[in-house]
Structure formats: structure tokens, C-alpha cells
Amino acid sequence: MEKLFDYNIFLIGFMGAGKSTVAKYLNGTYGMRVVEMDQIIADREQMSIADIFRIHGEEYFRKLETALLVELQSQSNVVVSCGGGVPMREENVQAMKKNGRVVLLNARPETILERVKDNHDRPLLENHKSVDYIAELMEKRRPKYEAAADIRVATDGRSAKEICEDIIRQLRK
């Protein structure tokens, strides 16, 4: 299969914005290899993200994210589903831009809540599942997300196919 891109695509955005869904679609439709950052880190550490946070702290986890991004610089045609906090560190943004394009997936707080309300693997949201809390956290992250993004795509009320077609169209411009 022909490579779609000679660089990586980094999907960023708030938890529940659709990063994993879009990554799976790009894998299934275009054969792009998928790297789910949280999953790889959890597998390597042999514990859940929540446990890594609890036992080792957020800083330890953030260092694992950065190391994984650096590792990915030597690969291409990989779609990387980034943890929600990845773009908050400037070194991560630089690592992503070295061999990739950064795609920001956006969704309204109401959409996010609907998507994550039954999920208990989100340490930052666990006891704060409300539109107001999500909106506040999204707003805190927005400037860094916007600064990191090469392109922006809204995911509210759209299928994975529509979102992916939009991403590919924008990347090929």
C-alpha cells in the first residue's frame, strides 16, 4: 500500500474530541499505523494511566510522553493519538513538528461530556463530569492547543469518515 504521507499525523485535542476514533479510521482506510500514546505508556509501565498518576505523579507521566514523541521522530506515515495534555509542553510541540503535522480536533463541552460520561479512565475528569468544569479546562488548554495546531477540525455531529476526509483535504493543501 502506498504511503499516504511521508510524515506523521499527530492528533491533539481535549479528551473525548475524537482522537482515537479518527486514528482507527485512518488505520482502517489508509493503512496508517496507529500509536495510542496513553496505551503504549500504560503497556510499558504495566499499569493504568490513573495508577501512573497516583503512584509516580503527573510529572513522571509527562516525561514518558515526551520520550515517546522523540522516539516517533524516526518514523513516518504514523497517526499518533496524543494524550490531552501533550501540547501543554513546548518540548512536545517541537518534537511533533520535527516530523509531523499537528491536527487539532475540537468539540463542544456538551459533546465531550456526552462522550466521556461513562468512562472512568480519565484521572483529570473523574470527579468533575460537568459541562462547566470541562469548558473551564478546555479554555485553559485552548491557547496551547491553538498554538500547536497546523490545522483545526471540528468533530461535533460528524462521522469519522467526514472528519478524516476534512483532515486529508486540509493536509494536502
Side-chain angles (χ1 to χ4, degrees):
M1 183 181 271
E2 186 196 344
K3 272 187 167 185
L4 193 59
F5 299 105
D6 60 359
Y7 52 82
N8 296 325
I9 296 174
F10 293 92
L11 301 175
I12 66 168
F14 202 75
M15 54 195 101
K19 299 180 297 286
S20 296
T21 303
V22 168
K24 280 186 195 101
Y25 187 88
L26 288 170
N27 169 263
T29 307
Y30 299 103
M32 292 184 77
R33 194 165 76 78
V34 172
V35 169
E36 281 282 350
M37 287 187 69
D38 284 354
Q39 190 58 55
I40 287 183
I41 291 169
D43 290 350
R44 286 179 178 178
E45 293 292 306
Q46 299 182 317
M47 63 177 81
S48 69
I49 301 300
D51 283 344
I52 296 170
F53 265 69
R54 190 174 49 76
I55 295 164
H56 299 290
E58 183 174 358
E59 186 57 28
Y60 176 86
F61 175 73
R62 298 300 173 201
K63 285 186 173 137
L64 295 174
E65 286 180 323
T66 302
L68 181 53
L69 288 170
V70 170
E71 209 179 294
L72 291 167
Q73 288 173 1
S74 62
Q75 300 175 34
S76 65
N77 203 45
V78 176
V79 59
V80 183
S81 178
C82 297
V86 166
M88 303 311 288
R89 290 175 77 139
E90 186 53 41
E91 61 197 306
N92 291 349
V93 175
Q94 288 169 0
M96 290 188 285
K97 298 226 182 231
K98 273 209 175 99
N99 183 31
R101 301 287 299 280
V102 180
V103 176
L104 172 58
L105 298 180
N106 282 315
R108 293 187 313 274
E110 294 78 5
T111 303
I112 301 283
L113 180 60
E114 186 54 39
R115 290 176 182 166
V116 304
K117 69 179 192 297
D118 299 324
N119 184 311
H120 299 288
D121 301 324
R122 317 271 186 176
L124 294 175
L125 274 191
E126 193 44 50
N127 300 308
H128 307 284
K129 289 185 181 148
S130 72
V131 168
D132 289 344
Y133 182 81
I134 291 169
E136 187 182 320
L137 195 50
M138 286 174 80
E139 189 50 41
K140 272 190 198 136
R141 290 182 171 186
R142 190 179 55 77
K144 297 263 192 203
Y145 281 7
E146 296 277 338
D150 293 308
I151 65 170
R152 293 159 187 79
V153 176
T155 65
D156 299 287
R158 298 172 81 193
S159 70
K161 181 177 190 279
E162 290 170 311
I163 295 162
C164 290
E165 285 169 353
D166 192 357
I167 290 169
I168 288 163
R169 185 181 46 75
Q170 288 192 57
L171 287 174
R172 287 192 162 150
K173 266 187 192 164

